[in-house]
Amino acid sequence: MAIAATEPTSVRAFGPAAALSCRECGERYDLTPRFACEFCFGPLEVAYDFGAVTRADIESGPANIWRYRHLLPVPENVAELPNMNPGLTPLVKADRLAAELGLASLHIKDDSGNPTHSFKDRVVAIAVEAARNFGFTTLSCSSTGNLAGAVGAAAARAGFQSCVFIPAGLEEAKVVMAAVYGGRVVAIDGNYDDVNRFCSELIGDPAGEGWGFVNVNLRPYYGEGSKTLAYEIAEQLGWRLPEQIVIPIASGSQLTKIDKGFQELIKLGLVEDRPYKVFGAQATGCSPVAQAWDKGLDVIQPVKPDTIAKSLAIGNPADGPYVLDIARRTGGSVEHVGDDEVVEAISLLARTEGIFAETAGGVTTGVLRKLVREGRLDPGAETVVLNTGDGLKTLNAVSAGVTATVKPSLKAFAEAGLA
């Protein structure tokens, strides 16, 4: 369905993007704020007519996601426009964690280094450019926390008003981070799925006129931001694909777009075409995709979330069936770990690599450890694991404190057994 601004916008405003295409039936549409197919109600995504793109073109670009502008639905001059400029976060060679788990080669893609400390800055950056081109005045979203902060910050930088919707009871740090940028933060008495349903209704109401919901009516453009994770990982590995990758699943969009990014790099001849396995990771308390995987299903049965990994707590993930397809096509799988294992994994990653992950990073690290322990991940293959957010946002999930309290003297230090 098309909402608000419906006139086709200049293709040049969206760079190499040529149309919106239905992921189910292939029907194509103009580049408008439309997110579902009028014929089969399938989700829409951006289709491209790529020109020639070389590694040199990319490497000469800015040190953020705009170095990949020739592969994204953004204008050529996007780096000159007011945006948060996320991306090019570290790909950490995790030798100590690899040794502890018995892996030959392991990297952590640490996206906590983005401006609002989560991968959401990537997707919002693309949505901002779409909102700008469509003439929206308010930037909005339904969110489990990280996206709300990213939208608030991006709206402030780009000059939009903002209003974000979150489930009541979200982590305090995420609420503060969403609110500090000056926009409105509205808590809905329900879970994320209730919030998302409310936002979909608001889009069709006069009260929502002029609003760009980054993950609803701007979703086809927004999702493309996750492709930059695939591009960066390949470039940072020396222009090659990892043999295995572990990705968290909330809606599942990030996983499907990383796979899309890898496939684009192959088709453009920017990397060698070689097999790679994709593993999805969920928390047991919200694991509808993993449950479908275990049962061999092609459809997702919604669940009511109950996990400390609130950023992944989407009980009815829109991209769930596509995640199953990718895991099967690549020879990977979809796994889950309990909250206790999530907490242990956060500590393991911090202790071995100095990376303090939020709970979603604990889920991916915990699933990695489970896959190795159960012999379902090749310990000799090059592996990448995603950490999508900063642990400072989910402090309540872990417990840690001072080793000892002593008087300021060497004698007291020694008497405490610390010397």
Side-chain angles (χ1 to χ4, degrees):
M1 59 188 69
I3 306 298
T6 55
E7 291 298 320
T9 301
S10 166
V11 170
R12 287 186 300 174
F14 292 94
L20 296 180
S21 176
C22 178
R23 295 164 75 181
E24 291 296 319
C25 72
E27 184 71 19
R28 288 167 74 95
Y29 298 90
D30 290 331
L31 293 165
T32 55
R34 179 191 301 266
F35 60 98
C37 179
E38 291 181 358
F39 296 95
C40 70
F41 301 107
L44 303 181
E45 68 175 353
V46 178
Y48 297 90
D49 286 332
F50 290 127
V53 181
T54 67
R55 294 177 182 177
D57 292 335
I58 294 170
E59 291 167 350
S60 65
N64 54 52
I65 63 170
W66 306 133
R67 68 201 281 110
Y68 308 109
R69 62 191 181 282
H70 302 300
L71 306 173
L72 297 169
V74 295
E76 173 67 25
N77 68 337
V78 63
E80 303 167 13
L81 303 174
N83 204 302
M84 296 298 287
N85 302 327
L88 218 58
T89 55
L91 183 69
V92 179
K93 196 167 189 306
D95 290 338
R96 295 192 70 231
L97 179 58
E100 184 134 343
L101 298 180
L103 295 172
S105 177
L106 176 64
H107 290 83
I108 308 293
K109 181 59 175 172
D110 185 13
D111 243 19
S112 65
N114 277 312
T116 66
H117 308 287
S118 89
F119 91 98
K120 291 295 186 181
D121 290 316
R122 296 176 183 272
V123 284
V124 170
I126 308 297
V128 163
E129 297 311 319
R132 203 191 311 271
N133 287 325
F134 292 134
F136 287 123
T137 55
T138 297
L139 212 59
S140 187
C141 69
S142 53
S143 173
T144 57
N146 282 327
L147 180 57
V151 165
R157 177 70 60 85
F160 289 90
Q161 300 176 49
S162 70
C163 182
V164 300
F165 298 88
I166 59 175
L170 211 57
E171 297 100 328
E172 183 180 358
K174 289 181 178 175
V175 174
V176 171
M177 192 157 189
V180 75
Y181 302 108
R184 286 177 287 170
V185 179
V186 179
I188 300 293
D189 186 13
N191 60 31
Y192 173 80
D193 298 294
D194 297 319
V195 177
N196 200 41
R197 190 162 43 248
F198 171 77
C199 288
S200 298
E201 293 175 3
L202 185 55
I203 287 172
D205 188 272
E209 186 176 354
W211 288 35
F213 286 77
V214 302
N215 55 343
V216 188
N217 56 349
L218 296 176
R219 187 175 184 82
Y221 311 91
Y222 158 92
E224 295 298 286
S226 288
K227 295 193 308 178
T228 60
L229 277 162
Y231 304 151
E232 286 183 19
I233 290 168
E235 183 179 355
Q236 290 170 322
L237 286 176
W239 291 109
R240 69 173 189 275
L241 304 183
E243 294 174 282
Q244 303 174 137
I245 184 167
V246 183
I247 304 169
I249 300 171
S251 72
S253 174
Q254 184 187 61
L255 186 149
T256 61
K257 292 303 186 291
I258 287 175
D259 178 67
K260 183 179 181 181
F262 285 161
Q263 291 296 313
E264 288 175 348
L265 293 179
I266 292 170
K267 290 175 182 175
L268 290 167
L270 295 171
V271 299
E272 178 186 354
D273 185 1
R274 69 173 190 175
Y276 60 88
K277 294 184 178 180
V278 177
F279 296 88
Q282 293 196 295
T284 302
C286 185
S287 53
V289 187
Q291 291 177 32
W293 175 268
D294 289 342
K295 296 174 183 175
L297 301 176
D298 295 323
V299 297
I300 306 299
Q301 297 176 334
V303 302
K304 186 175 182 179
D306 182 15
T307 172
I308 61 170
K310 296 184 185 300
S311 62
L312 304 183
I314 297 180
N316 188 17
D319 274 31
Y322 302 107
V323 168
L324 294 173
D325 291 343
I326 291 168
R328 287 170 181 145
R329 191 195 80 223
T330 64
S333 67
V334 184
E335 308 296 340
H336 61 92
V337 288
D339 285 353
D340 289 346
E341 295 170 277
V342 172
V343 173
E344 290 175 10
I346 291 173
S347 298
L348 173 64
L349 183 57
R351 174 170 56 80
T352 55
E353 298 298 339
I355 295 173
F356 185 19
E358 71 160 34
T359 48
V363 170
T364 51
T365 305
V367 163
L368 170 67
R369 184 168 63 172
K370 178 180 180 181
L371 289 166
V372 175
R373 184 174 64 235
E374 297 182 356
R376 288 182 289 148
L377 182 142
D378 181 357
E382 186 172 58
T383 305
V384 172
V385 174
L386 265 61
N387 172 43
T388 51
D390 193 323
L392 291 175
K393 295 184 178 186
T394 56
L395 284 174
N396 291 342
V398 294
S399 59
V402 298
T403 303
T405 300
V406 299
K407 294 185 180 300
S409 72
L410 293 175
K411 180 182 178 183
F413 185 69
E415 288 176 349
L418 300 171

